[in-house]
């Protein structure tokens, strides 16, 4: 869904979900300020589920350049 705050800016994007559909074990609420459409937060949730259920690695989702930058910050 979307939440409109101001007519001069993009809507906030919201996506609430759980998985798997039978016997759920994880629930997500993804929000993006001024995200325009819930499609963007649905994509974010899909990547989180893929990571959680072992279908993708963090490197697959973020890309190596993002992880290299993150490691520089943490060290």
């Amino acid at each position: 869904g979307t939440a409109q705050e101001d007519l001069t800016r993009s809507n906030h994007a919201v996506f609430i979900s759980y998985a798997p559909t039978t016997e759920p074990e994880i629930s997500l609420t993804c929000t993006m300020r001024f995200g325009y459409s819930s499609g963007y937060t649905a994509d974010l949730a899909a990547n989180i589920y893929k990571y959680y259920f072992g279908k993708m690695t963090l490197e697959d989702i973020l890309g190596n350049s993002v992880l290299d930058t993150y490691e520089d910050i943490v060290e």
Side-chain angles (χ1 to χ4, degrees):
T2 57
Q4 189 174 35
E5 175 188 346
D6 187 333
L7 293 175
T8 63
R9 294 188 261 189
S10 299
N11 295 335
H12 301 304
V14 180
F15 187 79
I16 301 169
S17 59
Y18 60 89
T21 54
T22 57
E23 298 183 40
E25 60 183 78
I26 183 173
S27 174
L28 294 175
T29 300
C30 299
T31 62
M32 281 186 200
R33 292 183 66 203
F34 314 114
Y36 181 71
S37 167
S38 60
Y40 296 118
T41 49
D43 290 341
L44 172 63
N47 283 336
I48 293 170
Y49 284 126
K50 288 175 188 174
Y51 176 75
Y52 180 84
F53 289 109
K55 306 292 183 187
M56 292 180 81
T57 66
L58 194 55
E59 291 82 9
D60 294 334
I61 295 169
L62 298 177
N64 290 327
S65 62
V66 173
L67 291 176
D68 291 343
T69 303
Y70 175 74
E71 289 171 358
D72 292 341
I73 294 169
V74 174
E75 291 178 356

